[in-house]
Amino acid sequence: MAADEKHSPAGGERHSRAGGERHSRAGGDGRPAYRVWALSGIPEVRQGDDLAKLIAAAEPALADGDVLLVTSKIVSKAEGRIVEATDREAAIDAETVRVVARRGALRIVENRQGLVMAAAGVDASNTPAGTVLLLPKDPDVSARAIRDGLRDTLGVNVGVVVTDTFGRPWRAGLTDVAIGAAGVRVLDDLRGGADAYGNPLSATVVATADELAAAGDLVKGKAAGRPVAVLRGLPGAVSAADDPGEGARALVRSPRDDMFRLGTSEAIREAMRGRRTVRAFTDEPVDPGAVRRAVATALTAPAPHHTTPWRFVLLESAGSRVRLLDAMRDAWIADLRRDGRSEESVARRVRRGDVLRGAPYLAVPCLVMDGSHTYGDTRRDTAEREMFVVAAGAGVQNFLVALAGERLGSAWVSSTMFCRDVVREVLDLPAGWDPMGAVAIGHPAQEPKARPERDAEAFIEVR
């Protein structure tokens, strides 16, 4: 046993690392074990090289059930993903789909392969000066090609994992993860089972392919010139010869399930850009807690004289919404008739105003002038009220953006401002509360259209 032998806290299993090999030995009770070792003799890979043949030549004794852990750099070289790049930043730009977070020169981005990682995976190491390595175009396809090639060359059924190095949220240091896979169970879904104490497992899905990738990295090393490792002893991780598996793409969270999709400043900016007026909602109930969190965000808006000029009336029952909207509709119809509108015109306008009626949740933001100053001068008193109105608008904007952050759609409708007395009476509000429109809230019935890009410079004057 090598001098750097380590003992597992669980007892019985021992891990050793010597000569580029790591073992997990079965204990006396016959527990499963595996062995992982790095291959020597892989030459410098060049464009057009057949990786399966190079691996077969380095390790002709591969067996059914082995897993090959292949560093993405050699896959990229074989596929000609080396590009001239005197400016690495430009290469990163070209591979970036979306900036997730930025701090100084460091960028965490989503790249063309759908992976969220530093610098889009563009690498200037282990490649000639003046060039950079891009990730394989489709690492799952690359893994399948290596697997098929090894089956043709050696007649073995193996799994293949293409690996790359990632940093991770909340954790210091780097580790290898799977970016491509073939013939490997990438996720082990344990939900519906039970633990050793009989407790149900309701959220446990193990990233098996990432664990395999990390095991290979322990023996490959980052600068040892050993880009391929073999793991033996876990045949259950390898699928049947005619089953390529779902690929490592299955490890990438969907945007809807990703709670940490953006960095702080990017999340704020994306929430602002993603806030769109939604006029059609599903019947899915709205979480009242989400609305209250949005109200808490609204209260961070600036206000004059250290005041709190915002109040939010939440209409959570269908009865309260119907009473308010019926009373507002009657008042609106009366106004339109006084204006001489025809009955057809009145009916058409009322139909256009039904966005509030179709929402499963309404909020009525109100302005209160508590703490305002009275000057006895029309000009100054008007300016004083305008300050409070601006503060109320800032609160409403915060509220709408926070709702978007909660994945709720909303529409701010000004109608309550035109019948404030009616709204105050129906909702039993104090005389000093001025309704500032109403906000329809719910889950969008369809994805809002993309916001058209606007050139900020067109809205700026510099003096």
Side-chain angles (χ1 to χ4, degrees):
M1 184 62 65
D4 61 352
E5 177 179 274
K6 297 181 180 178
H7 296 268
S8 166
E13 248 179 65
R14 296 185 296 177
H15 303 272
S16 69
R17 185 173 187 177
E21 186 169 328
R22 185 172 284 260
H23 302 262
S24 173
R25 297 186 176 182
D29 56 1
R31 285 180 295 172
Y34 66 85
R35 182 164 68 97
V36 59
W37 68 95
L39 299 188
S40 300
I42 301 287
E44 177 65 24
V45 175
R46 303 184 186 281
Q47 183 174 351
D49 282 348
D50 188 325
L51 290 180
K53 290 182 177 179
L54 293 180
I55 293 169
E59 184 56 273
L62 287 175
D64 288 345
D66 287 349
V67 179
L68 275 295
L69 307 159
V70 183
T71 302
S72 63
K73 286 185 177 63
I74 65 169
V75 179
S76 295
K77 289 179 178 179
E79 295 179 356
R81 296 285 283 165
I82 303 177
V83 298
E84 300 288 336
T86 54
D87 183 358
R88 180 170 177 252
E89 295 303 310
I92 295 171
D93 288 342
E95 292 296 301
T96 294
V97 173
R98 176 177 62 89
V99 175
V100 175
R102 184 193 303 265
R103 181 171 295 171
L106 175 63
R107 280 185 286 172
I108 307 298
V109 307
E110 179 184 345
N111 65 15
R112 295 180 182 276
Q113 291 80 7
L115 303 170
V116 175
M117 59 193 307
V122 175
D123 198 341
S125 63
N126 294 302
T127 185
T131 66
V132 295
L133 279 172
L134 310 180
L135 290 179
K137 284 187 177 180
D138 189 330
D140 285 334
V141 170
S142 303
R144 288 197 293 271
I146 296 171
R147 185 191 192 214
D148 292 344
L150 287 168
R151 183 173 58 242
D152 294 342
T153 304
L154 298 177
V156 293
N157 175 37
V158 298
V160 175
V161 176
V162 177
T163 72
D164 200 64
T165 304
F166 274 47
R168 299 151 300 155
W170 308 300
R171 306 286 289 180
L174 304 171
T175 186
D176 263 21
V177 302
I179 66 168
V184 171
R185 186 177 69 246
V186 297
L187 292 168
D188 192 5
D189 192 345
L190 303 181
R191 292 173 295 183
D195 64 16
Y197 293 91
N199 300 310
L201 298 174
S202 58
T204 304
V205 181
V206 178
T208 304
D210 282 347
E211 293 184 327
L212 295 170
D217 190 44
L218 288 173
V219 295
K220 287 188 297 182
K222 297 299 183 189
R226 296 191 296 261
V228 180
V230 180
L231 187 146
R232 178 171 292 169
L234 298 178
V238 178
S239 61
D242 59 352
D243 179 9
E246 56 190 339
R249 183 72 189 189
L251 293 162
V252 179
R253 288 190 190 275
S254 68
R256 182 176 181 84
D257 294 333
D258 189 352
M259 294 177 65
F260 308 99
R261 187 166 168 78
L262 297 166
T264 303
S265 59
E266 289 74 20
I268 294 171
R269 185 160 53 248
E270 188 67 18
M272 297 287 284
R273 288 173 54 83
R275 188 216 61 75
R276 302 305 309 272
T277 295
V278 174
R279 299 187 181 279
F281 303 93
T282 69
D283 294 332
E284 183 179 352
V286 171
D287 175 15
V291 179
R292 283 162 171 76
R293 290 191 293 271
V295 170
T297 301
L299 304 185
T300 66
H305 314 315
H306 305 288
T307 58
T308 55
W310 321 277
R311 301 293 185 273
F312 288 82
V313 184
L314 307 182
L315 279 63
E316 296 184 338
S317 70
S320 65
R321 294 193 295 274
V322 170
R323 284 193 300 274
L324 174 64
L325 297 177
D326 284 353
M328 289 174 58
R329 180 191 58 198
D330 293 344
W332 191 17
I333 290 173
D335 282 346
L336 292 171
R337 286 172 175 164
R338 279 195 298 270
D339 292 341
R341 302 283 183 178
S342 68
E343 291 303 310
E344 180 182 354
S345 174
V346 169
R348 186 170 59 250
R349 289 170 179 271
V350 168
R351 282 196 302 271
R352 284 206 302 265
D354 277 348
V355 60
L356 294 178
R357 201 172 288 274
Y361 197 110
L362 292 181
V364 179
C366 295
L367 166 69
V368 297
M369 296 287 291
D370 296 350
S372 63
H373 296 172
T374 300
Y375 298 97
D377 175 273
T378 301
R379 177 180 59 83
R380 297 174 70 188
D381 287 343
T382 298
E384 180 78 1
R385 178 173 175 79
E386 287 176 346
M387 286 197 304
F388 276 75
V389 171
V390 169
V396 171
Q397 170 71 351
N398 280 8
F399 182 62
L400 299 176
V401 171
L403 290 172
E406 296 279 355
R407 297 292 189 266
L408 290 170
S410 65
W412 178 79
V413 180
S414 62
S415 52
T416 68
M417 300 171 68
F418 293 89
C419 54
R420 284 174 170 152
D421 289 340
V422 171
V423 176
R424 279 190 286 260
E425 180 180 354
V426 173
L427 299 182
D428 192 24
L429 302 180
W433 289 27
D434 282 346
M436 303 296 286
V439 180
I441 303 170
H443 296 274
Q446 58 189 20
E447 285 295 319
K449 294 181 180 178
R451 183 183 296 279
E453 290 292 335
R454 292 181 176 135
D455 180 9
E457 292 298 323
F459 298 84
I460 296 172
E461 293 288 338
V462 179
R463 298 291 188 265

